[in-house]
Amino acid sequence: MSTPDYDLTTLAARAGEEARPGASVPLVEPIYQSTVYAFPDLDALERAMSGEEPSSFYYRNGTPNAATLERALASLEGTEAALVAGSGMAAISAALLGVLRAGDHVVADARVYGVTYALLAEEFPRLGITVTFVDACDLPEVEAAFRPETRMLHVESLTNPLLTVPDVPRLAELAHAREAVLSVDNTFASPAVFRPARHGADLVTHSVSKYLSGHSTAFGGVVCGRADLIAAARTRLLRLGGTMSAFDAWMTLQGLKTLGLRMRAHSGNAQAVADVLANHPRVRAVYHPGLTGHPQFDLAQDLFPNGFGGMLSADIGDAPAFVRALAGKIPLAPSLADVVSTLSWPWGTSHRALPEAERRRLGITPNLLRLSIGIEDIGDLLSDIEGALEAG
């Protein structure tokens, strides 16, 4: 029902539309909750099990709803294939373990999501995989970290929570020159504002509970990329049991339909909030790629011509007072990308697993708040935020 020539907004709106037989068909794909499927004979079963004929047979191996979501997300990210998983961390784990084995080495941005950092720093060494953390915005430092056994470079397109912007095209060149895979977590951006595969990324991951579904109602993850890498990730995911539920896949597809519209509103509102905070005397620092003082401002303008999504962070000075002043207006919630604005406290949530010294070294302090700016009326949002600043 769609073509690669369509705009992303059209591709997202038509996600899940498949040709089905019959005089009439449901406009929205049904939920296929069955855990197992029957076959008419052994030949049909063998064709399904061997992959010769696409077919559902057992829930852990995937559902029709998951398969539809995979096709939609591969189309949006512009990749050969995609694999959905039960969580964002399951997707990242499957993506990385599909490439890595004992004796391999990973170069990773030190600013990755806190649980990803813990996975790399604590779990991978137990498997014989070594990791070097770097500043991914310092290309000489990244290059110096490569070893003969380096198989992967892992970064985020917009980092959590300080919104730094690694130069993905240059990082792809560095990785590919050493026959390494570039993996990019694109959760903060979404394909509506950035498509890493177009800039050389081999693997692209998301927590789909964020912008892709957009309403805090669906849970899961996805990895998009080259067909061979996705096949390897799928094998690992099946063995580890990280299946996405049919209902979560179906709910994600419903949210996905408005991705293009939502991201325009998120991006515009976040830019307006960042501008106001950056000029307020009580705010110590604001982290958003659309501000001229951002260290990668020029690069961000090149890579993100359609906006930067809804995320920003700020050192408010007195975070507890600011949060109290917003009670009943903007909730404190340890996630992001809902259609309503939320606040998060990275020090005690997303990066809690990092040692205190490492958090401070990265610029994550007790007074840093992450703001996920929603699609509300911008006048109302600014009234709430400015009122909280004055009250604090």
Side-chain angles (χ1 to χ4, degrees):
M1 297 294 292
S2 61
T3 158
D5 294 331
Y6 281 142
D7 180 80
L8 180 136
T9 302
T10 304
L11 293 177
R14 296 180 179 180
E17 293 185 9
E18 301 291 337
R20 300 182 184 93
S24 65
V25 296
L27 185 61
V28 176
E29 182 179 73
I31 301 172
Y32 294 89
Q33 190 56 46
S34 179
T35 61
V36 67
Y37 291 76
F39 294 86
D41 53 48
L42 293 178
D43 288 340
L45 176 61
E46 175 58 25
R47 289 195 300 273
M49 295 295 293
S50 67
E52 177 185 345
E53 183 177 293
S55 179
S56 297
F57 50 89
Y58 186 59
Y59 202 95
R60 178 166 53 82
N61 295 74
T63 64
N65 300 113
T68 300
L69 180 58
E70 288 170 352
R71 289 191 295 269
L73 293 176
S75 175
L76 293 182
E77 281 290 4
T79 61
E80 294 177 346
L83 166 67
V84 295
S87 70
M89 289 308 303
I92 288 177
S93 298
L96 272 56
L97 291 174
V99 174
L100 302 168
R101 63 191 66 188
D104 288 342
H105 173 249
V106 181
V107 177
D109 192 353
R111 297 187 181 94
V112 293
Y113 171 53
V115 182
T116 304
Y117 187 102
L119 173 72
L120 293 167
E122 299 176 21
E123 301 301 329
F124 275 22
R126 298 174 57 208
L127 303 177
I129 300 167
T130 56
V131 182
T132 299
F133 289 102
V134 297
D135 176 356
C137 294
D138 186 333
L139 293 174
E141 182 180 340
V142 175
E143 187 170 16
F146 276 84
R147 305 174 186 172
E149 66 271 24
T150 302
R151 296 284 310 282
M152 177 175 286
L153 171 61
H154 179 74
V155 301
E156 296 175 356
S157 55
L158 292 171
T159 66
N160 178 7
L162 297 178
L163 283 296
T164 57
V165 184
D167 190 338
V168 171
R170 292 289 303 281
L171 293 174
E173 292 174 4
L174 286 178
H176 296 160
R178 292 155 183 81
E179 299 184 346
V181 168
L182 176 61
S183 168
V184 178
D185 185 332
N186 200 35
T187 297
F188 261 36
S190 90
V193 297
F194 186 62
R195 292 173 172 173
R198 290 189 170 183
H199 299 277
D202 303 291
L203 291 169
V204 180
T205 52
H206 291 266
S207 170
V208 306
S209 57
K210 310 306 190 293
Y211 285 121
L212 296 181
S213 61
H215 298 79
S216 298
T217 54
F219 196 72
V222 65
V223 52
C224 308
R226 285 182 4 219
D228 61 321
L229 298 178
I230 297 303
R234 190 179 299 276
T235 297
R236 302 304 176 276
L237 187 73
L238 292 179
R239 292 172 181 172
L240 294 171
T243 305
M244 175 184 271
S245 77
F247 183 70
D248 283 310
W250 185 86
M251 286 293 291
T252 301
L253 278 164
Q254 308 323 304
L256 197 64
K257 293 177 183 295
T258 58
L259 177 65
L261 298 176
R262 286 187 285 107
M263 292 310 296
R264 284 198 286 274
H266 283 299
S267 295
N269 282 355
Q271 183 68 59
V273 171
D275 290 338
V276 167
L277 290 177
N279 290 289
H280 198 284
R282 294 193 179 184
V283 178
R284 296 175 180 173
V286 182
Y287 304 91
H288 184 269
L291 297 175
T292 55
H294 188 280
Q296 293 90 42
F297 175 79
D298 291 335
L299 174 64
Q301 300 304 306
D302 290 338
L303 295 182
F304 295 82
N306 299 316
F308 309 100
M311 303 304 302
L312 62 109
S313 290
D315 185 332
I316 301 298
D318 188 347
F322 184 70
V323 171
R324 285 194 300 270
L326 281 172
K329 297 175 180 177
I330 298 180
L332 179 66
S335 192
L336 60 109
D338 201 301
V339 292
V340 298
S341 298
T342 59
L343 292 167
S344 184
W345 186 44
W347 178 269
T349 57
S350 62
H351 287 70
R352 190 183 190 94
L354 274 66
E356 179 176 337
E358 181 65 10
R359 278 177 279 175
R360 291 188 181 276
R361 188 187 73 81
L362 294 172
I364 301 169
T365 66
N367 278 318
L368 183 76
L369 291 174
R370 191 186 71 194
L371 290 82
S372 174
I373 303 301
I375 65 172
E376 303 99 325
D377 175 80
I378 188 57
D380 294 334
L381 271 175
L382 293 179
S383 176
D384 289 341
I385 290 170
E386 291 175 318
L389 286 169
E390 296 308 317

